[in-house]
């Protein structure tokens, strides 16, 4: 792991004077939310700068106004509300209804569930079912199982990052941004892929030697977590593209290009050894994501 990042005196002075680059300013503002020492350093730099006297006057005026007002008892918080929730979440206002909470969650996962990715997913599933029942193509089930683990990667690639999300810079700067927002959108992608692909695999005609419809779940989870881990270094789009290309070259191509596709696919997806390996890989990637969680608090530079 790299050493913890902190605001230097030079960066604090550049920020106070308005000379800091936009990505550096965003990173600084996000960092001081959780680092008291850096917040003190930046505050001192701002007070020492040209805007210091103006800020001092505003502070003095605000304190004088507060002291002149009569003290009032704090309003009672609603059930289950936290003081940090703010107006409308229990601080003297009505709690959010389930519909409002659902709307906020839908807004958060929005980029993961809109655009061409969902359409492409449905087209792949419809094509597999159509080829199996309309054209009698017996390779539809192996083909779908071979492609299923990489389909969530496309959803992850278009759900987060400066290339995919127009609100990316704002989201990174909020307390709910970074890894938390990325995991929410990755979960939304899996929430669509898992039922759709598993149900499609279950309705396709069975083929001797081909794994069951749920055999792709652990490989798909491992690849998704690997994309998040690698994305902490190179960005989500590059990470998803790299892993998808590697899977297509190493697994899908050989499986679809050989006559013994069933046995080859079973070697990758089914059996205690294969599933145990994918489970171990998923655990390792999840640990790496946890170790690299702070990297998602900074703007992508690629």
């Amino acid at each position: 792991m790299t050493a913890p990042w902190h605001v230097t005196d030079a960066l604090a002075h550049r920020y106070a004077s308005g000379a800091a680059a936009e990505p550096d300013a965003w990173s600084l503002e996000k960092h001081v939310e959780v680092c008291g020492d850096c917040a003190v350093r930046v505050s001192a730099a701002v007070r020492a700068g040209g805007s210091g006297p103006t800020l001092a006057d505003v502070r003095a005026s605000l304190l004088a106004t507060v002291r002149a007002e009569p003290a009032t008892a704090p309003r009672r918080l609603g059930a289950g509300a936290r003081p940090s929730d703010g107006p409308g979440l229990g601080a003297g206002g009505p709690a959010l209804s389930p519909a409002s909470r659902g709307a906020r969650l839908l807004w958060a996962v929005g980029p993961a569930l809109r655009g061409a990715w969902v359409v492409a997913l449905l087209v792949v599933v419809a094509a597999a079912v159509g080829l199996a029942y309309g054209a009698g193509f017996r390779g539809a089930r192996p083909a779908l199982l071979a492609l299923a683990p990489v389909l969530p990667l496309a959803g992850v690639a278009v759900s987060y990052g400066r290339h995919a999300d127009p609100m990316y810079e704002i989201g990174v700067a909020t307390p709910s941004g970074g890894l938390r927002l990325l995991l929410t959108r990755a979960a939304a992608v899996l929430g669509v892929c898992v039922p759709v692909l598993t149900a499609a695999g279950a309705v396709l005609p069975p083929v001797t030697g081909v794994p069951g419809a749920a055999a792709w779940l652990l490989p798909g989870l491992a690849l998704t977590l690997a994309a998040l881990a690698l994305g902490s270094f190179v960005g989500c789009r590059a990470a998803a593209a790299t892993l998808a290309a590697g899977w297509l070259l190493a697994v899908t191509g050989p499986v679809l290009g050989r006559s013994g596709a069933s046995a080859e696919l079973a070697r990758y997806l089914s059996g205690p050894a294969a599933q145990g390996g994918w489970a171990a890989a998923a655990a390792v990637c999840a640990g790496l994501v946890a170790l690299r969680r702070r990297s998602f608090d900074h703007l992508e530079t690629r």
Side-chain angles (χ1 to χ4, degrees), residues 156-184:
V156 172
V158 301
S159 65
Y160 190 82
R162 64 188 182 93
H163 297 287
D165 186 359
M167 301 290 289
Y168 170 68
E169 289 84 359
I170 296 176
V172 171
T174 63
S176 298
L179 181 60
R180 179 178 176 181
L181 183 59
L182 176 58
L183 290 178
T184 299

Side-chain angles (χ1 to χ4, degrees), residues 45-265:
V46 172
R47 289 198 302 269
S51 58
T54 302
L55 291 176
D57 292 341
V58 172
R59 181 176 181 273
S61 176
L62 178 62
L63 289 176
T65 302
V66 171
R67 289 168 182 160
E69 293 180 353
T72 57
R75 286 187 283 187
R76 183 179 179 183
L77 294 177
R82 301 183 303 275
S84 60
D85 284 337
L89 295 178
L96 281 179
S97 66
S100 298
R101 293 184 183 276
R104 285 193 173 191
L105 179 61
L106 186 61
W107 181 89
V109 304
L113 299 181
R114 63 172 179 254
W117 170 73
V118 176
V119 176
L121 176 66
L122 296 178
V123 168
V124 169
V125 170
V129 175
L131 287 172
Y133 288 101
F137 179 56
R138 291 182 57 81
R141 185 185 180 97
L144 182 63
L145 286 177
L147 289 172
V150 296
L151 291 177
L153 297 182
V156 172
V158 301
S159 65
Y160 190 82
R162 64 188 182 93
H163 297 287
D165 186 359
M167 301 290 289
Y168 170 68
E169 289 84 359
I170 296 176
V172 171
T174 63
S176 298
L179 181 60
R180 179 178 176 181
L181 183 59
L182 176 58
L183 290 178
T184 299
R185 292 178 176 173
V189 169
L190 292 175
V192 173
C193 286
V194 168
V196 171
L197 293 174
T198 304
V203 302
L204 290 175
V207 178
T208 303
V210 174
W216 73 275
L217 293 178
L218 273 177
L221 176 62
L223 287 176
T224 301
L225 290 172
L228 300 184
L230 183 59
S232 68
F233 295 97
V234 300
C236 289
R237 189 174 70 162
T242 301
L243 291 172
W247 176 270
L248 294 176
L249 290 174
V251 178
T252 306
V255 165
L256 299 182
R258 295 183 181 180
S259 57
S262 300
E264 196 73 20
L265 188 61

